Amino acid sequence: MIEVFEYPNTAWWIIGFVIGAVIAYLLGSVNFGIIISKTKFKDDIRKHGSGNAGMTNMMRTYGKVAAGMTLFGDCMKAIIAVIIGTMLNGDMGGYVAGLFCIVGHVYPVYFKFKGGKGVATAAAMLLLLNPIVFAILLIIFVIIVGFTKYLSLGSVMCMIVYPLILNRFMGEPNYIITIISLLISVFIIFLHRENIKRLLAGTENKFSFKKSDKK
């Protein structure tokens, strides 16, 4: 159980949120897809495939090892950010930190504000803050991807139902956490708008463990 620091007044409480958000954004900006592609392959993942600096594009471009390293790094930075936010301001601080970590991953300050889509980062946040909700969404994701082979469809559907499932298992209502969950959901769905267009047109790429971008 993460120990929460008790602030003596509202000013310190707000400062705690600001500190947690800034740290989370800077951690989120450490985009492992870009770092791995530049250091290991002397390349930029954003020049290939979908142009997205995330696990799926890393898999298609560089293979399973690079994708696994990217997934691990993007999850760990979210876990660290959420732990810091929770220590500062409890669950609410964890959600704020998670949101800003996702924003940092999507718009990384170190890489000209062009990063990934935040799915793995959001999943790691959920795993830490809501293990039951994470497990339910993971089952939904696996079923959808298993039948369709579309990672984007699984991600979008999970984000659509995420606020509803969270509200069901949250216990006592917390409107700020509900709003943050809605923001995360809408934000990630918006980032998948091109995937949604391709899904509707029948041109979206299906997931495969094989590399598809030959260099």
Side-chain angles (χ1 to χ4, degrees), residues 123-134:
M125 178 200 79
L126 282 174
L127 175 61
L128 205 62
L129 291 172
N130 306 101
I132 295 176
V133 175
F134 170 83

Side-chain angles (χ1 to χ4, degrees), residues 52 56 116-120 141 151-157 159 184-199 204:
N52 177 49
T56 304
K117 293 181 180 176
V119 175
F141 180 83
L151 287 177
S152 57
L153 180 61
S155 300
V156 170
M157 292 305 298
M159 284 297 101
I184 291 173
S185 177
V186 171
F187 184 46
I188 292 180
I189 292 171
F190 171 76
L191 294 170
H192 283 80
R193 61 194 182 280
E194 294 301 324
N195 302 85
I196 294 171
K197 290 179 182 178
R198 291 194 294 269
L199 284 166
E204 176 73 330

Side-chain angles (χ1 to χ4, degrees), residues 5-23 84-85 88-90 92-93 96-97 100 176:
F5 183 78
E6 297 290 340
Y7 288 107
N9 54 52
T10 304
W12 282 110
W13 187 69
I14 294 173
I15 290 172
F17 279 118
V18 173
I19 292 173
V22 171
I23 292 174
I84 293 172
L88 289 170
N89 275 330
M92 201 181 301
V96 171
F100 277 87
I176 294 179

Side-chain angles (χ1 to χ4, degrees), residues 37-208:
S37 66
K38 286 181 177 289
T39 56
K40 184 174 176 63
F41 301 99
K42 309 302 179 186
D43 198 3
D44 190 335
I45 182 60
R46 296 171 295 180
K47 296 179 181 178
H48 302 280
S50 64
N52 177 49
M55 182 207 72
T56 304
N57 202 28
M58 290 290 285
M59 173 76 76
R60 290 171 178 157
T61 307
Y62 303 117
K64 290 179 281 190
V65 174
M69 293 168 63
T70 301
L71 177 63
F72 178 78
D74 288 343
C75 287
M76 286 306 301
K77 69 186 182 185
I79 289 172
I80 294 170
V82 170
I83 288 174
I84 293 172
T86 305
M87 290 177 67
L88 289 170
N89 275 330
D91 283 351
M92 201 181 301
Y95 277 95
V96 171
L99 171 62
F100 277 87
C101 188
I102 294 169
V103 172
H105 177 78
V106 177
Y107 303 115
V109 67
Y110 313 123
F111 302 108
K112 299 181 180 179
F113 301 99
K114 185 181 179 183
K117 293 181 180 176
V119 175
T121 307
M125 178 200 79
L126 282 174
L127 175 61
L128 205 62
L129 291 172
N130 306 101
I132 295 176
V133 175
F134 170 83
I136 295 172
L137 292 177
L138 179 61
I139 292 170
I140 294 172
F141 180 83
V142 169
I143 291 173
I144 292 174
V145 176
F147 278 101
T148 68
K149 306 300 182 186
Y150 291 125
L151 287 177
S152 57
L153 180 61
S155 300
V156 170
M157 292 305 298
C158 283
M159 284 297 101
I160 289 174
V161 301
Y162 160 53
L164 299 175
I165 296 174
L166 176 65
N167 187 63
R168 173 66 179 81
F169 289 93
M170 190 161 46
E172 294 184 5
N174 188 310
Y175 297 110
I176 294 179
I177 290 177
T178 299
I179 291 171
I180 293 173
S181 70
L182 285 169
L183 288 174
I184 291 173
S185 177
V186 171
F187 184 46
I188 292 180
I189 292 171
F190 171 76
L191 294 170
H192 283 80
R193 61 194 182 280
E194 294 301 324
N195 302 85
I196 294 171
K197 290 179 182 178
R198 291 194 294 269
L199 284 166
L200 294 173
T203 58
E204 176 73 330
N205 292 322
K206 291 188 176 183
F207 178 73
S208 172

